[in-house]
Amino acid sequence: MIKVGIVGYGNLGRGVCLATAKAEDIECVGVFTRRAVDSVKPVTGYNVYSVDDLPKFKGKIDVLILCGGSATDLPATTANYIKDFNTVDSFDTHAKIPEYFDKLDKIAKENGTLGAISIGWDPGIFSMARILFGSVLPDGKDYTFWGKGVSQGHSDAIRRIAGVKNAIQYTVPKEDALKRVRGGENPELSVREKHSRECFVVAEDNADKARIEKEIKEMPNYFADYDTTVHFISEDELKKNHSKLSHGGVVIRSGKTTEENSELLQLSLTLDSNPEFTGSVLTAYARAIYRLYKKGETGVKTVFDIPLKYLYPKDPDDAFKTLL
Amino acid sequence: MIKVGIVGYGNLGRGVCLATAKAEDIECVGVFTRRAVDSVKPVTGYNVYSVDDLPKFKGKIDVLILCGGSATDLPATTANYIKDFNTVDSFDTHAKIPEYFDKLDKIAKENGTLGAISIGWDPGIFSMARILFGSVLPDGKDYTFWGKGVSQGHSDAIRRIAGVKNAIQYTVPKEDALKRVRGGENPELSVREKHSRECFVVAEDNADKARIEKEIKEMPNYFADYDTTVHFISEDELKKNHSKLSHGGVVIRSGKTTEENSELLQLSLTLDSNPEFTGSVLTAYARAIYRLYKKGETGVKTVFDIPLKYLYPKDPDDAFKTLL
């Protein structure tokens, strides 16, 4: 059995609990939290400990699955965890990946540990599609569309506006853009042409809805460059119709092998639950990290470095007999 | 520069010529044929040699790309080539892969060479989707649909019928089955429910078309278990409308992370030219085999064993900086 620890119990930590509980070759030693231990009740009934107790578990956990956020949590903490543990995380600030990689790789190699960074679906499975598709169809162009799905960052941005009680924002790929890309046009698409943003907002009583709508639509970076629609709804309606953290998207590569022949490659995900699926991906990579560590590997790996067979729950060296 | 040799110049060999000619890091030493050397004129202008001359090229070719057929050619010849060369092939007789693997792996290890077998899109890219999707969504069900596309085997089977001058057979996935799978139903689908077969046949003058149609539709294994339609057309129409070796398909995994949440993962290919795309995949894996051989690897690999970064035309250890 592979012994894992789960650090953090938000949406993603909950997803990892559910995924590890389903995996027959994985045993969860416990969930580690910075909150009061008694306040955390994992859906799977796992033991809960304070993160301060982690040093006591050195040697008793094969892989720590880190479920903190990329903005501040992972950059501040992973370097510390990887000194004592093999780790898997979902660091997703694309621009800062090289810096994050270099820092952790050095520490992991010094300490004889192994980490997988930026695991999930983007970065993660979508990145795998980009490198695979780009390598087998070099004369082409890549497109990544996200959605329809809930963007936590955009939802949070709306919630910070005065007079907003609650909000959910969906990123929606534009049908016309998808059609042009799938038609092999290889168009240059602006930000506005690729995605629109749909907002469901619960306003406080007596709030100025026109002002809220204007503030959303003009918010730089988040909304100003997009076609944005704003719907004011009740808290009940939000809970009833917009409580799933659905997401997904598609990576499309369109290109030519010769002037006459076009080829279209697509990988798409349609997810009812972004955190549950991401938790399931992290769990498969925890298995891979365990196996690679047993083979003597140290340092930091990404999805580009890890052979697919190591994700497979059964004997990795037998996978080709049935799945190839 | 990676020096490759190409063995065989049929549709696939032509595809590999085109793909290697486009790759900036690959140089083709020559095409090796069993036919009269003068009769083979590669589209890329490559040198042509007899396969009998191959031993002279030992040490001068980094990877041999084998473009023979899986039925008799590869099983009879790869074992001989892999004694002296690193190889890449597209062996696609799924049931015989374990036996083929074991035989070649032993010879390659004894001779210090490295081979990649069963490279292409199925087996190949579709196999990668099956193992990846199955690992990250373990509670689910896999479906592979092929087409719409030309099946050479089925086209050949029709051509062997008395009175048939020429024929092209398309394998067509059934829309209703695709819809049910994508809807998350996880249905049990019979062979007939998944695909239909559409045949375009040029009959000889005075041939009994009713008999030909009956023979096609009742042919065991190839057609009897499918809904088959037969269209009789002229040779001109066949040349004009059915000369592309188009193909493709989709791997779908539909499953659940919890009772409430379903996830749908899909990888699809829409190919104008099956052999040109397959040639491009073989070329990317020739690059990977070269790199792994340089790292000291020997034996036989499949797509499950080879990290994606080794396919990437640029520096594999830098890929994560831009593609992740």
Side-chain angles (χ1 to χ4, degrees):
Chain A
M1 294 292 274
I2 304 167
K3 293 186 181 63
V4 303
I6 299 168
V7 180
Y9 191 75
N11 285 322
L12 181 56
R14 181 181 168 279
V16 174
C17 284
L18 290 162
T20 52
K22 274 190 183 185
E24 287 177 10
D25 56 342
I26 293 176
E27 178 188 324
C28 181
V29 172
V31 172
F32 296 83
T33 182
R34 275 182 306 203
R35 290 185 267 163
V37 166
D38 287 348
S39 71
V40 174
K41 307 279 178 211
V43 61
T44 45
Y46 289 160
N47 293 330
V48 181
Y49 304 96
S50 164
V51 285
D52 299 332
D53 291 332
L54 259 174
K56 297 179 202 160
F57 287 86
K58 184 172 173 173
K60 294 175 185 164
I61 288 174
D62 295 312
V63 186
L64 265 192
I65 305 178
L66 308 180
C67 301
S70 295
T72 55
D73 202 12
L74 293 172
T77 61
T78 310
N80 191 35
Y81 297 139
I82 208 168
K83 283 179 195 157
D84 294 332
F85 298 96
N86 302 316
T87 62
V88 173
D89 74 50
S90 64
F91 186 74
D92 67 358
T93 312
H94 290 258
K96 292 189 176 166
I97 287 172
E99 180 193 326
Y100 187 71
F101 181 101
D102 287 342
K103 182 180 170 188
L104 297 178
D105 190 53
K106 188 168 173 288
I107 299 171
K109 281 181 177 150
E110 282 166 7
N111 290 276
T113 58
L114 182 65
I117 65 162
S118 302
I119 304 299
W121 59 272
D122 196 359
I125 293 174
F126 274 16
S127 322
M128 297 163 88
R130 286 189 284 264
I131 196 168
L132 173 64
F133 291 174
S135 300
V136 299
L137 187 63
D139 184 6
K141 202 162 149 46
D142 262 1
Y143 297 85
T144 303
F145 290 89
W146 295 274
K148 182 182 175 176
V150 175
S151 163
Q152 294 287 9
H154 289 80
S155 302
D156 288 344
I158 301 172
R159 288 187 202 114
R160 285 191 293 264
I161 293 173
V164 171
K165 246 171 98 175
N166 207 343
I168 287 290
Q169 192 268 184
Y170 295 98
T171 305
V172 186
K174 288 203 172 174
E175 279 304 323
D176 181 63
L178 280 168
K179 202 175 154 185
R180 290 175 64 196
V181 169
R182 286 177 172 144
E185 253 188 63
N186 283 9
E188 290 293 334
L189 295 170
S190 68
V191 159
R192 186 178 301 274
E193 285 172 313
K194 283 185 75 184
H195 296 94
S196 59
R197 301 202 172 276
E198 200 171 0
C199 313
F200 293 85
V201 180
V202 183
E204 284 170 5
D205 295 345
N206 308 318
D208 179 350
K209 291 181 180 169
R211 191 226 352 122
I212 292 172
E213 180 163 346
K214 189 166 181 288
E215 278 194 43
I216 295 172
K217 289 186 171 175
E218 293 178 355
M219 199 185 298
N221 302 319
Y222 284 87
F223 293 99
D225 298 334
Y226 297 85
D227 294 336
T228 302
T229 52
V230 177
H231 310 274
F232 289 95
I233 60 173
S234 68
E235 185 86 50
D236 282 354
E237 202 181 333
L238 191 86
K239 286 223 167 76
K240 192 177 152 217
N241 298 330
H242 305 283
S243 62
K244 279 206 176 185
L245 296 171
S246 62
H247 218 313
V250 60
V251 174
I252 306 176
R253 189 165 178 94
S254 161
K256 285 173 174 297
T257 43
T258 49
E259 261 324 296
E260 312 84 64
N261 291 319
S262 297
E263 325 295 349
L264 186 72
L265 323 179
Q266 301 185 68
L267 184 143
S268 75
L269 305 177
T270 313
L271 309 173
D272 273 356
S273 172
N274 182 357
E276 286 178 12
F277 181 69
T278 303
S280 191
V281 178
L282 287 172
T283 299
Y285 276 91
R287 172 185 297 123
I289 284 298
Y290 169 80
R291 289 168 168 175
L292 289 169
Y293 176 75
K294 288 281 171 195
K295 286 185 173 283
E297 301 252 13
T298 62
V300 166
K301 305 278 179 192
T302 74
V303 291
F304 297 164
D305 303 296
I306 298 172
L308 292 169
K309 68 177 175 182
Y310 292 119
L311 306 175
Y312 187 56
K314 297 178 196 163
D315 184 348
D317 291 314
D318 269 357
F320 79 93
K321 293 179 188 167
T322 50
L323 290 172
L324 203 69
Chain B
M1 295 292 273
I2 304 166
K3 293 185 181 66
V4 303
I6 299 167
V7 180
Y9 191 75
N11 285 322
L12 181 55
R14 181 181 169 278
V16 174
C17 283
L18 290 162
T20 52
K22 275 191 181 184
E24 288 177 10
D25 57 339
I26 293 176
E27 180 188 324
C28 181
V29 172
V31 171
F32 295 83
T33 183
R34 274 183 307 204
R35 290 184 268 162
V37 166
D38 287 349
S39 72
V40 175
K41 307 280 179 211
V43 62
T44 46
Y46 289 159
N47 293 329
V48 180
Y49 303 96
S50 164
V51 286
D52 299 332
D53 291 332
L54 260 175
K56 296 179 202 160
F57 287 86
K58 184 173 175 173
K60 294 175 184 164
I61 288 174
D62 295 312
V63 187
L64 265 193
I65 305 177
L66 308 180
C67 301
S70 295
T72 55
D73 202 11
L74 293 172
T77 61
T78 309
N80 191 35
Y81 297 139
I82 208 168
K83 283 181 196 155
D84 293 333
F85 298 97
N86 301 317
T87 62
V88 173
D89 74 49
S90 63
F91 186 74
D92 67 358
T93 312
H94 290 258
K96 291 190 176 166
I97 287 172
E99 180 193 327
Y100 188 71
F101 181 102
D102 286 342
K103 182 180 170 188
L104 297 177
D105 190 54
K106 187 168 175 288
I107 299 172
K109 281 181 177 150
E110 282 167 6
N111 289 276
T113 58
L114 182 64
I117 64 161
S118 303
I119 304 298
W121 61 272
D122 197 359
I125 293 175
F126 274 15
S127 323
M128 297 162 89
R130 285 189 284 264
I131 195 168
L132 173 63
F133 292 173
S135 300
V136 299
L137 187 63
D139 184 5
K141 203 161 149 44
D142 261 2
Y143 297 86
T144 303
F145 289 90
W146 295 275
K148 184 183 175 176
V150 176
S151 163
Q152 295 286 8
H154 289 80
S155 302
D156 288 344
I158 301 172
R159 288 188 202 114
R160 284 192 292 264
I161 293 174
V164 171
K165 245 171 100 175
N166 206 343
I168 287 290
Q169 193 268 184
Y170 295 97
T171 305
V172 186
K174 289 202 171 175
E175 279 304 323
D176 181 61
L178 280 168
K179 203 175 152 185
R180 290 175 64 196
V181 170
R182 286 178 172 143
E185 253 188 65
N186 283 9
E188 290 295 333
L189 295 169
S190 68
V191 159
R192 187 179 300 275
E193 285 172 311
K194 283 186 74 183
H195 296 94
S196 58
R197 302 202 172 276
E198 201 172 359
C199 314
F200 292 86
V201 180
V202 183
E204 283 170 5
D205 295 345
N206 308 321
D208 179 350
K209 290 181 181 171
R211 186 216 11 109
I212 291 172
E213 181 163 344
K214 190 165 181 290
E215 278 195 42
I216 294 172
K217 290 186 171 176
E218 293 177 355
M219 198 184 297
N221 303 320
Y222 283 87
F223 293 99
D225 297 333
Y226 297 86
D227 293 337
T228 302
T229 53
V230 178
H231 310 274
F232 288 95
I233 61 173
S234 68
E235 184 86 52
D236 282 353
E237 202 182 332
L238 191 86
K239 286 223 166 77
K240 193 176 151 217
N241 298 330
H242 304 284
S243 63
K244 280 207 175 186
L245 296 170
S246 63
H247 218 313
V250 60
V251 175
I252 306 177
R253 188 164 179 95
S254 162
K256 286 174 175 297
T257 43
T258 49
E259 261 324 295
E260 311 84 64
N261 290 318
S262 296
E263 325 295 348
L264 187 72
L265 323 179
Q266 302 185 66
L267 184 144
S268 75
L269 304 176
T270 313
L271 308 174
D272 273 357
S273 172
N274 182 357
E276 287 179 13
F277 181 70
T278 303
S280 192
V281 178
L282 288 173
T283 299
Y285 275 90
R287 172 184 297 124
I289 284 299
Y290 169 79
R291 289 169 168 174
L292 289 169
Y293 177 74
K294 288 282 172 192
K295 287 184 173 285
E297 301 254 11
T298 61
V300 166
K301 305 277 179 192
T302 74
V303 291
F304 296 165
D305 303 297
I306 299 173
L308 291 170
K309 68 177 175 182
Y310 293 119
L311 306 175
Y312 187 56
K314 298 178 196 163
D315 184 347
D317 291 315
D318 269 357
F320 78 94
K321 292 179 189 168
T322 50
L323 291 173
L324 203 70

